[in-house]
Amino acid sequence: MKRWIALGLFFMIVFLSNYMFSWILQFEHCDVLFPEGYEETAKLVGKIFENVRQQVIELIGNDPGRITIILQDKGTVSNGFTNPLFHRTITLYMWPPESWISFELPLEDWYTYLIIHEFTHMVHLTYQDEFTQLVSILMGFPYLPQMNGPFGEGTTVFAESAFSKNSGRLNNPYVSDGLYYYTIQNFPSFTYKEIMPPDDFRGGQLYYNFTAGFYKYLVDTYGIEKMKRYIALTSTILPDVEIGLKYRDIFEKVFGKPFDELYTDWIRSLMKLNYSEGDLIYKAPNAKIYKLDLLGEKLGVYCVEFGPATSYIGSVNPRLVFLSKDGKEQGSKTVIALDIKYDKDKTYVLTKAENFGKYENQIWEITSNKLIAKGNISAFDVDDGYLYIAQYDAKKMKTRVSGQGLELSIEKYITYMDVDNGKLAMLTSDYEIIVYDLVTKNTVVLEDDAMKGPYVRFWGNGLLFTRVDGKYVNPYYYDLAEGKLYKLGENLLVYDFVIDKDELYYVSYIPYSVNTGTGVYKIRAQKEEVSLVRYEPVFKFQDKKYQYGSEISFRIQKMTKPLTWIPIYEYDIENDIHRGYIIFTFANIENDTFLVLTPVFDFILTDTLFDMTYSQYMSWLTMKDNYQLSASYYYPTNDYSLTGMLRLGGFALSPITDVYGYLTFSFKTKDIGLFDSVFSLFTANVPVVYLNNIGFGLLVSSYAFGMPYNVQVFGLLSNDKLEDLFDPEKIKSNFFIAGLVDIALTKSTTFEGKVALNLNQPEKASYDMSIASTLFTDNAFLFRNAIYLRNSGITLGVTNPSVETILQHGIYTHFFVEMYMQGLKLYPSVGIFAPFSELTKPVGENQEFLFYIGLNSSPHGLPLSLFSLSLQTEGY
């Protein structure tokens, strides 16, 4: 009993020690948890939430009740997420997006529209009819039908775009209407965008922006009430008896047309759009161009390229490409950047680095590979050798701008800055442009409220920037001397642009290739005077009452409330045993620490015998950004497991090289794995060989000669007996080494090498080294979109599997196809394995090979055999 009490106290101390410096504010409909120093932010967040809450509810038609908002400082990462299953929490990170991210995620006020987005998730995903609510209570687990619905991100992106012309992805035509328009010739099906293939340059925009575009079309065409009715009817686990009898699907019941017709109607509506285009001088198929700079007689183009290799090993190819003014490549270098600046003969980049779960932005001078600044840097520039930076203080919600003889404090977030000829231009997150004269100290504010592109640059006597005009993103010039605004092009879709004399070079989509892509166009610049745009404020927030709460009592209250109470019955026919158990799950408010208690009752019921035995399973799991700890115990057999992982780093050795270290351990008894898989909803996995394991790993991610690579090395001490784990005489037999190398040789060809060995038996090392080359990128859906086939090619490899069979030290080759099915990516293959022992037989002797049909999670490696057949050649 003392051991149990001590163990419980230990876990409670660990649990509470993580939150010694947190606080809580209690508003009418939410509790706001915040770290020390962020009280003013918490007050603002609570006030915003209480003001927008009802308007968001009215968009969906469901009130989720009281929620918890958690503020977390993760450094320079912009994100938020919602957990509708456990505790109904919303987590907000406190760093607004910078540079080009702010254009692709255009939110003029970070907290307002992030709250709208995440609370829409909560309102939408918690929607249940009364029957489903009853089933959830009886079965001890929240059944949320909308979690599997088609509009998971459609509702949220629509909501973030519904209140202001200046916020939301649907109000930025470059990532909405323009994106859709340039894919019409090969428009992604609804299933395709759900799959979101990793080698498609549009990435998350498929899942977020395309879903929201279709959602908006339905709302604009049929009205918000019809959409609310659709959500209400699909918020149940009961089948609709009219579907299949009276209607083909739920869409026809609500909107009058089945889904396929509605989706086609949306695509046809996009054909009404028309964008002007210049001369296309450079094409980057299946690639995204983020920035364009004029470098004397050259153009600097920063882009990220995708290809089949992205799907095979997860690599992309970020390049800084140098072009002549007629679009011919004149060189390139590998660069990972949020922003790129040029000063004299040096090139500087702003990049993001992660260290022990927290992010910071770093400025590197890549010519000499020198780190010159780091921290909460949102924007920078270098002029005549002097560095100017904007550092955002998330606690004070202010920006400090510093440089040569410069020290400014601005109560806004700076997304981009440019310094030239004694002047500093700053673009803020709410699209205000501030120009500061470094000599006279005078300030000019360009009071134009329209959504703007990612950059602002000095040119001539003024500034260049892009501005959203309805369905278009056009280039503009503001003359500081005249105080006038000029439009430089009409009906365009511009991401970035530069001007050389009277030629305007700009970045936009290209209407070619399977997935389209981006390119550089050239047109002659126009000059039409236009007016500034001013909008009335959308929200006028009223103050809301709040009170301070006891965080410890709040956390204990949440931790002691069961989140699941899942009853399960099993019958062992062989032993005539009836087993019943209930999985009770408890969690902290952040939902990253779980306690599972599962009482187990076994009954023997016969005409002459009644017997009951009681056993108890318990487990604890903590999952943080840089460590994971799991412990489980089963009474009365005293089976146990203790597993952990600590991630060290990352450490940025250069803008393109990151290093991570890993420490792992696992100590367990023989049968605990079975109990963990049956009596708990959560498991933790680390590398193991025997019952007791301690390991260390190293991961290096970088680029060599422009080719991305990952190298992993892992060493493990393992033994079934804990006392023998560090026995000097058994170190060699206890020590195992594994290594993995991934290299993208081209955008469509990859190399992977694996090796594993025990120091005591190096001659029995297992290895597999292979090259996978793409032959075809054709794609097709089969069986009514149940299966999607994409890339196909040939793999050639050499291997010595760990299992001693005919498959020893040989060469193999197979044809593979990339297949997506039920959320899984698999690689079916057909090929031949030839042992070296057979290939080296004297001429004329019989040879034996293996024909196989296999399945793998990668095109690399000898697959799991589904069917094999021995093939023999006759000698002579």
Side-chain angles (χ1 to χ4, degrees):
M1 178 60 91
K2 292 181 179 179
R3 181 173 57 183
W4 279 94
I5 294 174
L7 187 63
L9 288 174
F10 168 76
F11 283 129
M12 188 58 67
I13 291 171
V14 171
F15 166 66
L16 292 176
S17 65
N18 286 301
Y19 315 106
M20 289 177 61
F21 305 105
S22 298
W23 311 85
I24 184 171
L25 293 181
Q26 295 175 328
F27 288 81
E28 181 181 358
H29 299 101
C30 72
D31 300 296
V32 182
L33 280 171
F34 61 96
E36 186 177 20
Y38 287 93
E39 182 176 337
E40 293 305 312
T41 305
K43 293 176 182 177
L44 175 63
V45 165
K47 174 181 175 179
I48 292 173
F49 173 78
E50 294 292 347
N51 275 272
V52 304
R53 179 182 184 276
Q54 189 57 40
Q55 296 179 67
V56 173
I57 288 173
E58 290 171 359
L59 286 178
I60 304 295
N62 174 55
D63 188 337
R66 189 173 190 81
I67 68 164
T68 300
I69 299 176
I70 303 167
L71 302 183
Q72 290 187 353
D73 183 3
K74 298 290 185 179
T76 63
V77 59
S78 309
N79 205 354
F81 54 90
T82 299
N83 191 325
L85 285 170
F86 302 141
H87 292 314
R88 299 198 172 181
T89 61
I90 291 176
T91 300
L92 307 178
Y93 295 169
M94 294 179 280
W95 181 262
E98 67 276 74
S99 188
W100 50 263
I101 304 176
S102 66
F103 182 55
E104 298 192 9
L105 186 62
L107 306 177
E108 62 184 319
D109 182 87
W110 175 241
Y111 290 119
T112 298
Y113 293 94
L114 182 61
I115 288 170
I116 289 172
H117 181 105
E118 297 302 335
F119 185 58
T120 303
H121 268 314
M122 187 69 72
V123 174
H124 176 223
L125 298 178
T126 59
Y127 207 149
Q128 297 172 298
D129 70 343
E130 293 181 355
F131 177 79
T132 306
Q133 293 178 23
L134 178 61
V135 171
S136 297
I137 294 172
L138 295 177
M139 300 305 295
F141 188 85
Y143 290 90
L144 303 179
Q146 294 298 339
M147 293 283 285
N148 298 314
F151 294 118
E153 293 296 346
T155 58
T156 57
V157 177
F158 174 81
E160 77 184 30
S161 311
F163 296 96
S164 169
K165 295 180 181 179
N166 276 5
S167 283
R169 279 160 275 198
L170 294 179
N171 290 319
N172 177 358
Y174 197 89
V175 295
S176 58
D177 289 317
L179 175 65
Y180 314 146
Y181 175 80
Y182 276 94
T183 61
I184 285 178
Q185 77 279 6
N186 189 32
F187 204 84
S189 69
F190 205 82
T191 304
Y192 180 89
K193 68 90 186 170
E194 291 285 306
I195 293 172
M196 200 170 59
D199 55 333
D200 190 315
F201 85 101
R202 292 166 293 189
Q205 291 178 351
L206 287 167
Y207 185 68
Y208 283 76
N209 302 31
F210 277 83
T211 306
F214 181 49
Y215 188 94
K216 183 177 186 297
Y217 168 78
L218 294 176
V219 172
D220 290 346
T221 306
Y222 298 94
I224 189 67
E225 293 303 319
K226 283 288 183 84
M227 181 55 72
K228 290 166 70 173
R229 180 169 180 253
Y230 167 86
I231 294 174
L233 290 176
T234 56
S235 296
T236 179
I237 58 176
L238 286 174
D240 191 326
V241 295
E242 292 186 316
I243 304 303
L245 295 176
K246 187 176 180 180
Y247 304 104
R248 281 170 283 183
D249 57 26
I250 189 66
F251 288 90
E252 185 176 22
K253 181 174 181 177
V254 175
F255 301 105
K257 290 184 178 182
F259 171 83
D260 290 343
E261 293 184 15
L262 292 170
Y263 200 68
T264 301
D265 287 347
W266 175 48
I267 297 172
R268 293 177 62 193
S269 73
L270 299 171
M271 297 178 183
K272 300 174 185 177
L273 295 170
N274 185 32
Y275 291 98
S276 299
E277 295 175 354
D279 297 325
L280 181 59
I281 65 169
Y282 179 72
K283 291 184 288 187
N286 201 23
K288 180 177 287 188
I289 297 176
Y290 288 101
K291 199 177 186 195
L292 176 67
D293 286 287
L294 180 63
L295 308 173
E297 295 303 311
K298 295 182 181 180
L299 298 172
V301 175
Y302 177 61
C303 67
V304 178
E305 300 170 333
F306 293 73
T310 310
S311 186
Y312 301 162
I313 64 172
S315 64
V316 295
N317 192 23
R319 290 201 304 155
L320 176 56
V321 183
F322 301 103
L323 304 177
S324 64
K325 292 181 181 178
D326 59 357
K328 293 182 174 60
E329 284 199 28
Q330 297 185 336
S332 68
K333 62 175 65 176
T334 300
V335 173
I336 299 176
L338 288 168
D339 191 17
I340 303 177
K341 300 287 189 176
Y342 308 88
D343 183 56
K344 299 178 180 177
D345 59 343
K346 295 182 179 180
T347 303
Y348 302 83
V349 299
L350 180 68
T351 189
K352 204 171 289 288
E354 184 259 344
N355 189 16
F356 290 94
K358 196 163 185 177
Y359 288 80
E360 67 179 11
N361 285 351
Q362 300 179 344
I363 301 173
W364 290 79
E365 194 271 284
I366 61 174
T367 310
S368 59
N369 194 38
K370 182 180 179 181
L371 177 64
I372 60 175
K374 62 181 181 179
N376 292 342
I377 301 170
S378 65
F380 85 106
D381 199 7
V382 181
D383 183 58
D384 198 25
Y386 295 111
L387 175 66
Y388 297 83
I389 59 175
Q391 293 176 293
Y392 180 67
D393 187 333
K395 291 182 179 179
K396 297 179 181 179
M397 293 177 282
K398 295 181 179 179
T399 299
R400 174 178 169 265
V401 182
S402 60
Q404 175 66 16
L406 174 68
E407 193 75 29
L408 292 176
S409 179
I410 299 175
E411 294 190 3
K412 290 178 179 286
Y413 180 82
I414 307 298
T415 63
Y416 191 80
M417 63 192 299
D418 189 49
V419 181
D420 186 56
N421 198 27
K423 290 184 172 61
L424 165 67
M426 295 167 284
L427 177 63
T428 67
S429 58
D430 60 351
Y431 311 117
E432 188 175 81
I433 296 177
I434 304 171
V435 181
Y436 182 80
D437 193 309
L438 299 172
V439 178
T440 66
K441 313 301 181 184
N442 293 329
T443 300
V444 175
V445 179
L446 181 57
E447 296 181 340
D448 181 84
D449 295 332
M451 182 186 293
K452 296 179 178 64
Y455 312 116
V456 57
R457 292 184 178 92
F458 285 106
W459 180 78
N461 295 319
L463 301 165
L464 298 177
F465 56 89
T466 58
R467 192 177 81 168
V468 172
D469 297 329
K471 302 291 186 181
Y472 307 97
V473 185
N474 290 315
Y476 281 85
Y477 168 67
Y478 183 78
D479 193 306
L480 290 168
E482 299 177 357
K484 295 181 179 180
L485 180 66
Y486 297 94
K487 183 187 292 187
L488 305 179
E490 187 73 30
N491 297 340
L492 297 171
L493 190 68
V494 179
Y495 195 97
D496 189 18
F497 76 100
V498 295
I499 293 181
D500 181 36
K501 298 176 183 176
D502 60 349
E503 299 288 349
L504 188 150
Y505 297 85
Y506 73 93
V507 173
S508 190
Y509 298 111
I510 57 174
Y512 311 110
S513 83
V514 174
N515 299 327
T516 77
T518 51
V520 178
Y521 293 82
K522 181 174 70 172
I523 60 172
R524 186 169 296 276
Q526 305 172 7
K527 195 174 182 182
E528 175 191 356
E529 185 178 349
V530 294
S531 301
L532 301 177
V533 174
R534 300 308 302 268
Y535 296 134
E536 290 293 322
V538 176
F539 295 107
K540 296 180 180 179
F541 295 130
Q542 299 178 354
D543 289 335
K544 298 294 181 177
K545 294 181 179 179
Y546 63 87
Q547 63 183 17
Y548 293 89
S550 170
E551 189 191 358
I552 292 180
S553 63
F554 177 80
R555 288 188 175 279
I556 292 176
Q557 174 193 356
K558 295 294 184 181
M559 189 70 187
T560 55
K561 178 183 179 181
L563 301 178
T564 73
W565 49 93
I566 306 172
I568 298 177
Y569 168 77
E570 297 173 354
Y571 177 58
D572 184 348
I573 299 177
E574 183 177 344
N575 298 302
D576 194 22
I577 296 177
H578 301 265
R579 166 168 286 185
Y581 55 94
I582 302 178
I583 301 177
F584 291 99
T585 303
F586 305 84
N588 66 341
I589 193 64
E590 285 83 3
N591 296 303
D592 58 18
T593 299
F594 297 90
L595 171 65
V596 179
L597 299 176
T598 306
V600 183
F601 301 91
D602 291 321
F603 298 91
I604 298 178
L605 301 173
T606 68
D607 294 338
T608 59
L609 177 65
F610 171 79
D611 184 44
M612 183 189 76
T613 59
Y614 163 77
S615 52
Q616 178 68 52
Y617 171 86
M618 67 174 294
S619 69
W620 179 281
L621 175 63
T622 297
M623 299 174 292
K624 301 295 182 179
D625 292 324
N626 59 315
Y627 73 88
Q628 177 177 296
L629 177 65
S630 172
S632 60
Y633 177 79
Y634 186 70
Y635 169 86
T637 63
N638 291 327
D639 284 292
Y640 69 88
S641 171
L642 183 62
T643 301
M645 184 274 292
L646 173 65
R647 187 177 66 158
L648 308 172
F651 306 102
L653 303 184
S654 77
I656 60 172
T657 304
D658 291 309
V659 179
Y660 292 88
Y662 294 88
L663 290 172
T664 68
F665 62 85
S666 177
F667 307 103
K668 60 183 179 181
T669 55
K670 182 179 179 181
D671 297 323
I672 191 64
L674 175 63
F675 300 135
D676 286 336
S677 63
V678 173
F679 298 136
S680 175
L681 302 179
F682 310 97
T683 57
N685 296 301
V686 298
V688 298
V689 177
Y690 299 114
L691 294 178
N692 301 289
N693 307 267
I694 295 179
F696 173 79
L698 193 67
L699 168 63
V700 179
S701 177
S702 188
Y703 292 77
F705 308 106
M707 297 184 296
Y709 71 85
N710 293 298
V711 177
Q712 299 181 51
V713 179
F714 196 86
L716 186 71
L717 279 173
S718 184
N719 196 293
D720 277 335
K721 295 182 179 180
L722 184 59
E723 61 271 19
D724 292 339
L725 196 60
F726 297 102
D727 188 336
E729 296 181 358
K730 297 182 179 180
I731 285 293
K732 289 183 66 176
S733 62
N734 289 349
F735 197 73
F736 297 81
I737 298 176
L740 171 66
V741 178
D742 288 324
I743 304 175
L745 303 176
T746 68
K747 286 184 288 186
S748 59
T749 302
T750 55
F751 168 83
E752 182 177 273
K754 296 179 181 179
V755 63
L757 60 89
N758 177 247
L759 285 188
N760 203 40
Q761 297 176 310
E763 70 281 359
K764 292 187 177 182
S766 64
Y767 61 86
D768 192 301
M769 300 181 185
S770 62
I771 292 177
S773 181
T774 308
L775 297 178
F776 309 103
T777 57
D778 302 85
N779 61 94
F781 280 97
L782 303 177
F783 309 115
R784 302 191 62 163
N785 293 342
I787 294 177
Y788 176 59
L789 304 181
R790 193 162 173 82
N791 303 305
S792 57
I794 291 288
T795 298
L796 177 65
V798 294
T799 186
N800 180 40
S802 57
V803 180
E804 295 186 5
T805 63
I806 184 177
L807 305 177
Q808 293 185 45
H809 295 292
I811 185 171
Y812 65 91
T813 183
H814 59 239
F815 177 80
F816 67 84
V817 176
E818 187 173 276
M819 178 178 73
Y820 295 83
M821 180 177 64
Q822 297 296 314
L824 299 175
K825 182 174 68 172
L826 301 170
Y827 290 84
S829 58
V830 54
I832 294 178
F833 174 81
F836 287 137
S837 59
E838 298 295 316
L839 293 173
T840 56
K841 282 184 177 180
V843 176
E845 289 192 13
N846 293 345
Q847 293 177 309
E848 184 179 9
F849 305 111
L850 188 71
F851 169 82
Y852 61 84
I853 297 175
L855 191 65
N856 206 347
S857 60
S858 166
H860 292 281
L862 198 64
L864 173 68
S865 179
L866 302 177
F867 171 80
S868 62
L869 179 66
S870 179
L871 302 177
Q872 292 187 350
T873 62
E874 294 185 2
Y876 56 88

